[in-house]
Amino acid sequence: MKCLVGVDLGTTAVKAGLFTLDGREIAVADCEYATDTPAPGWAEVPAERYWEAFVKAVRSALKQSGAAGPFEAAAIGFSSQGETFLLLDGRGRPIRPAIAWFDTRAIAENRFIEEHIDRRELYETTGTPGFSPIYTAQKLLWLRNNEPESLERAAHIVLLPDYFIHRLTGEFATDPVNGGSTCYVDIRIRRYWDRMLNLIGAPREKLPDIVSPCSPVGRLRDDIAAELGLAANGAPVVVGANDQIVGALGAGNVAPGIVTEATGSALAVIATTERFALDPGMRVPIGTHVVPGLFYALPFTQSGGIALRWVRDVFGFKDFAELTREAGQAPPGSAGLLALPHVSGSVCPDLNPAARAAFRGISLAHSRGHIARAMMEALAYSLREQIELLAGMGIRTNRVRCIGGGARSDLWLRIKASVLNVPTERPECMEAAALGAAIIGACGAGLFKSPSEAGAALVSVKERFDPEPGLVEIYRSGYKDYIAFYGGLYGRKT
């Protein structure tokens, strides 16, 4: 049996999906892995731990499929977390554990870079709207200052998906989408930014060539195919992109006007645009899309599904199904109860790490169902903030396609549709990042001419939720109260 293999290299797990050549899901499996924290603010993962999780995920998906014989991969494509990187020696072996994207050790180095690079220049060159110790450039400078022997020994500096591509094929390549979040790739021309490389002392010759997403860079080695449980057929291995953008592709977000909303722990919004749209306030990450000639904007709410999980746990709901059921029994507007969702600070449109969640208007008439609905409505209001931020950049929104765990709730999708006053949609395949990676593989294998063509052929919408006129009016008023509530507590810091 021939299949497309889509691999999603997540923050806590590796997910592997098997799909038919026409995009139908055969099986999806994941394997969690642990992150080491050898010092406060550090986050490291041995390369072999990533690899073992990858092998287990692929083998588990193959087992779930129930197929009698081995699968023959038509192509393997990747979706990946950004920023995480490894140092490899001349034989491609890791010199030290990978430094994960959420590692924050490089505080002093971030301050140094901020003193030497203008923020607007950084934004216009890399699409990164500000300075942070999580970015790869800052951590490479930390290694230069604290582990110079590691950098000296390194023959290759690679991002996480680059390491997998090398191990599968023996070749080295990287993509410009993940490259944007390193702070040393000029996304306008898809080349390394020499000014940053020179500042941090990272030799250009140690970095892999930048190639476009959907480019085949090598073929699956026979010994690796056997390790994965796949037939040895030299399947093409294809360069992917950042997981948010690949997830958008897997949801069919391949044309201007479509916006993808992914509610996991955070709430991330991906808008597709035909131009390199800069946010005048420099709040919104931007970059190149996997579709040639298109770009993306990515505003996000740091406190997304994690805020609803807090409600679930603190108020004793046994699961999200029970939470949603009781929230559905509360009236729209939650009988005057209003919430702010920022349990871990605010990012867009207001950069305020000190912001916190809050409730206003609690009375004896309110139940835990009202609390749950108020938080669902608050996250929908936060989504509207992101959509309005996009509108200020000249990016239109005709419909919102919802993915992630939050997209499984009909109630929440109805709330979002009426808060936004545009339709919300749920794709047929909920494993958008894995499907998007498989679509990338299909394009690299020559099964489709472009990601746009592949997305149109392989992605379908399962359900659509239209705005309800009565709710639109209730939520228009609720949104004004939400903005005023936040402003009364924190003002606006941008």
Side-chain angles (χ1 to χ4, degrees):
M1 294 180 64
K2 272 206 168 186
C3 68
L4 298 167
V5 180
V7 181
D8 180 26
L9 305 173
T11 300
T12 60
V14 176
K15 183 175 290 185
L18 308 178
F19 299 88
T20 63
L21 301 190
D22 59 0
R24 289 183 294 107
E25 181 182 319
I26 300 170
V28 177
D30 61 34
C31 180
E32 294 184 355
Y33 61 84
T35 301
D36 297 333
T37 53
W42 293 28
E44 298 186 346
V45 180
E48 201 60 30
R49 192 177 296 166
Y50 285 124
W51 182 260
E52 289 171 358
F54 164 64
V55 173
K56 288 179 181 177
V58 173
R59 283 189 165 274
S60 294
L62 290 168
K63 185 176 181 180
Q64 283 182 27
S65 72
F71 274 98
E72 183 178 312
I76 300 175
F78 283 92
S79 161
S80 177
Q81 58 184 279
E83 292 102 45
T84 299
F85 71 100
L86 300 98
L87 304 181
L88 309 180
D89 66 16
R91 297 176 62 184
R93 298 173 304 188
I95 289 172
R96 66 176 320 283
I99 300 182
W101 70 267
F102 52 96
D103 181 294
T104 57
R105 74 183 71 185
I107 294 172
E109 289 73 20
N110 182 62
R111 192 178 305 117
F112 173 84
I113 291 173
E114 190 170 4
E115 291 170 352
H116 288 80
I117 299 286
D118 178 74
R119 183 185 171 197
R120 181 162 293 280
E121 181 184 9
L122 178 79
Y123 184 49
E124 293 180 354
T125 304
T126 70
T128 304
F131 299 91
S132 171
I134 72 169
Y135 297 129
T136 315
Q138 281 80 336
K139 291 169 190 169
L140 284 175
L141 182 56
W142 185 93
L143 288 172
R144 174 70 63 196
N145 292 339
N146 296 274
E147 289 185 23
E149 68 284 355
S150 294
L151 274 181
E152 290 301 320
R153 286 180 57 206
H156 306 281
I157 302 169
V158 298
L159 298 177
L160 183 59
D162 312 342
Y163 170 70
F164 275 83
I165 287 172
H166 175 69
R167 192 146 175 184
L168 292 172
T169 68
E171 304 295 333
F172 285 102
T174 195
D175 73 272
V177 185
N178 273 311
S181 65
T182 65
C183 286
Y184 53 70
V185 171
D186 186 334
I187 60 174
R188 300 166 301 180
I189 57 175
R190 297 191 172 195
R191 293 179 183 172
Y192 288 109
W193 186 21
D194 288 335
R195 176 157 156 69
M196 181 64 81
L197 292 179
N198 291 335
L199 180 65
I200 65 175
R204 164 65 186 86
E205 64 271 14
K206 295 187 177 184
L207 299 169
D209 289 340
I210 299 172
V211 302
S212 297
C214 304
S215 300
V217 292
R219 294 194 171 273
L220 180 63
R221 292 165 38 188
D222 288 352
D223 59 327
I224 301 298
E227 186 177 358
L228 296 173
L230 294 167
N233 68 329
V237 177
V238 183
V239 171
N242 179 272
D243 50 9
Q244 296 290 353
I245 314 307
V246 177
L249 173 63
N253 185 354
V254 293
I258 302 175
V259 168
T260 311
E261 175 264 321
T263 301
S265 294
L267 187 160
V269 176
I270 299 289
T272 298
T273 175
E274 292 175 324
R275 59 189 178 83
F276 192 65
L278 293 166
D279 171 25
M282 293 189 291
R283 295 157 295 183
V284 179
I286 55 176
T288 55
H289 205 288
V290 296
V291 179
L294 295 181
F295 303 88
Y296 72 83
L298 200 167
F300 67 98
T301 297
Q302 187 162 305
S303 301
I306 194 172
L308 203 63
R309 185 182 305 155
W310 176 84
V311 171
R312 180 199 66 186
D313 295 343
V314 170
F315 290 91
F317 294 99
K318 68 179 181 181
D319 52 29
F320 282 117
E322 183 178 64
L323 181 151
T324 301
R325 184 169 60 254
E326 292 192 26
Q329 294 168 1
S334 303
L337 181 59
L338 187 64
L340 296 178
H342 307 297
V343 293
S344 57
S346 170
V347 178
C348 294
D350 188 41
L351 180 59
N352 184 3
R356 291 295 177 263
F359 291 90
R360 190 189 76 184
I362 296 176
S363 74
L364 294 174
H366 290 119
S367 67
R368 67 176 189 170
H370 290 88
I371 297 283
R373 183 174 189 119
M375 187 58 78
M376 295 176 90
E377 290 172 342
L379 287 164
Y381 294 145
S382 183
L383 173 59
R384 178 168 169 178
E385 285 188 289
Q386 314 310 326
I387 299 298
E388 291 188 351
L389 192 56
L390 292 172
M393 297 168 63
I395 300 173
R396 71 182 189 276
T397 301
N398 299 330
R399 50 191 160 146
V400 174
R401 200 159 286 173
C402 301
I403 57 178
R408 300 184 187 278
S409 167
D410 288 4
L411 172 65
W412 211 356
L413 266 63
R414 289 201 302 270
I415 290 171
K416 290 172 183 176
S418 293
V419 166
L420 301 174
N421 199 21
V422 297
T424 56
E425 299 174 335
R426 177 189 293 135
E428 185 71 38
C429 177
M430 296 297 289
E431 302 291 352
L435 176 58
I439 289 173
I440 283 172
C443 293
L447 301 179
F448 295 93
K449 295 179 180 178
S450 70
S452 296
E453 181 186 74
L458 304 184
V459 179
S460 58
V461 173
K462 184 177 182 179
E463 292 167 287
R464 171 180 164 133
F465 300 84
D466 290 313
E468 301 173 40
L471 295 187
V472 169
E473 291 305 313
I474 291 172
Y475 288 135
R476 182 177 288 121
S477 175
Y479 180 66
K480 291 179 181 178
D481 289 342
Y482 170 87
I483 296 297
F485 185 21
Y486 182 92
L489 289 177
Y490 300 112
R492 279 289 184 192
K493 290 194 258 180
T494 57

